[in-house]
Amino acid sequence: MLKAYLVNSSQSCHIFSAGYDIRTKKGFDKTFDKFDSVIGLKFLKCFHVNDSKTDFESRKDRHESLGKGKIGIDAFKFLMKDKRFQNIPKILETPNDKIWKDEIEILNEYEGLAYEDIQACFLFATKYLKDTAFMALSEEAV
């Protein structure tokens, strides 16, 4: 019998505005430990990376450039340095396309990849997961 699974993507702005405080290492770890216990990190297949224009627990999805919003830059350091998420594609979803290269370079510094490597990862993820919040996969693919 073929079983289908819901595969999840996570977005930093959604997490924050929903009331999960990822601004500190303790809060970041607590959030993803809870995610793992409730859903399972094996089902997390993509991150949408953006800061938030709105306050914590605002329940609003308003994207901001990295480090210029209410989340702040530290959460993105935690994300990029966390070995659990090293091979998960990340899609940059910030409003100012004129600084995308700079934002990718910032993320690059945190993860320690060459700019070209991380740019290729972001471009691949954007193309592969374009406008996709979830997808069904067979049991063998998970």
Side-chain angles (χ1 to χ4, degrees), residues 48-115:
H48 295 249
V49 181
N50 42 52
D51 211 323
S52 177
K53 286 184 180 183
T54 60
D55 290 325
F56 180 64
E57 293 185 320
S58 67
R59 306 286 193 254
K60 294 179 183 169
D61 182 22
R62 306 292 184 273
H63 300 180
E64 183 57 275
S65 298
L66 301 185
K68 298 186 186 311
K70 304 291 184 169
I71 297 173
I73 202 68
D74 287 343
F76 305 105
K77 287 180 188 176
F78 306 146
L79 172 65
M80 298 307 287
K81 290 184 177 291
D82 194 317
K83 299 287 186 208
R84 298 174 295 179
F85 308 127
Q86 186 173 19
N87 294 316
I88 295 178
K90 293 147 187 93
I91 300 173
L92 185 64
E93 279 191 322
T94 56
N96 186 350
D97 63 349
K98 291 175 178 52
I99 63 169
W100 284 348
K101 181 178 178 182
D102 296 334
E103 290 176 310
I104 291 170
E105 285 176 347
I106 289 168
L107 295 172
N108 157 33
E109 289 174 20
Y110 299 152
E111 191 171 33
L113 292 175
Y115 171 73

Side-chain angles (χ1 to χ4, degrees), residues 5-17:
Y5 290 97
L6 180 67
V7 177
N8 194 295
S9 70
S10 186
Q11 186 187 98
S12 46
C13 182
H14 291 182
I15 292 167
F16 182 73
S17 68

